[in-house]
Amino acid sequence: MLVKDKKILATGYNGAPSRLEHCLEIGCLREKQGIPSGERHELCRGLHAEQNAIIQAAYHGVEIREATLYCTNHPCIICSKMIINAGIQKVVFEAGYADALAIKMLKESGIKTEDFSKKRRVEGRK
């Protein structure tokens, strides 16, 4: 979800592009080839929620420069590159993701990242 000035600008979902079958329906190519999670994203039928949120904003002509992105996992490298070029200023996520290059590039770009799960643990919430 992309948010700016306490307003939701766009949302996204994890899944296949519109009008296409999801891998849950037709089988996962990456799984069939034994590709570990977090690798070879280009072989996946699906889009990440971050990608879909950026695409939805563009589709509807909504400016997302300086917005905050809220997502479940730390963005992968493909999503991170899109986030950087879209001008998003902050990413808030709930869980980590095994993508060291994505972490490095977001840091280099000056985009703030916040691990919400760590914040909840510090404040005593589950």
Side-chain angles (χ1 to χ4, degrees):
M1 171 177 23
L2 288 163
V3 175
K4 185 175 180 182
D5 299 327
K6 297 183 180 180
K7 293 184 179 97
I8 297 172
L9 304 176
T11 61
Y13 63 92
N14 289 319
S18 299
R19 299 179 306 281
L20 296 182
E21 292 180 294
H22 192 279
C23 59
L24 293 174
E25 300 164 323
I26 62 171
C28 176
L29 178 61
R30 291 173 62 238
E31 187 177 282
K32 288 176 186 173
Q33 293 183 6
I35 299 168
S37 177
E39 296 180 16
R40 303 291 314 269
H41 296 286
E42 74 277 7
L43 296 179
C44 182
R45 290 182 66 84
L47 293 159
H48 289 171
E50 301 92 326
Q51 294 167 330
N52 268 319
I54 292 168
I55 291 165
Q56 284 301 308
Y59 185 85
H60 294 289
V62 176
E63 183 178 328
I64 58 173
R65 186 181 312 125
E66 298 182 3
T68 297
L69 174 73
Y70 292 88
C71 50
T72 306
N73 296 86
H74 187 286
C76 72
I77 187 59
I78 294 171
C79 291
S80 294
K81 291 186 280 187
M82 291 177 69
I83 290 164
I84 293 166
N85 276 3
I88 293 167
Q89 70 175 358
K90 183 176 180 181
V91 176
V92 179
F93 59 95
E94 187 174 10
Y97 193 71
D99 197 328
L101 183 57
I103 294 167
K104 182 177 189 285
M105 287 183 73
L106 285 174
K107 186 175 183 176
E108 281 180 36
S109 73
I111 294 173
K112 297 175 188 133
T113 58
E114 181 180 324
D115 183 336
F116 185 68
S117 65
K118 287 182 182 175
K119 184 176 181 179
R120 286 192 329 211
R121 284 193 300 266
V122 168
E123 294 175 355
R125 289 183 259 157
K126 292 183 182 181

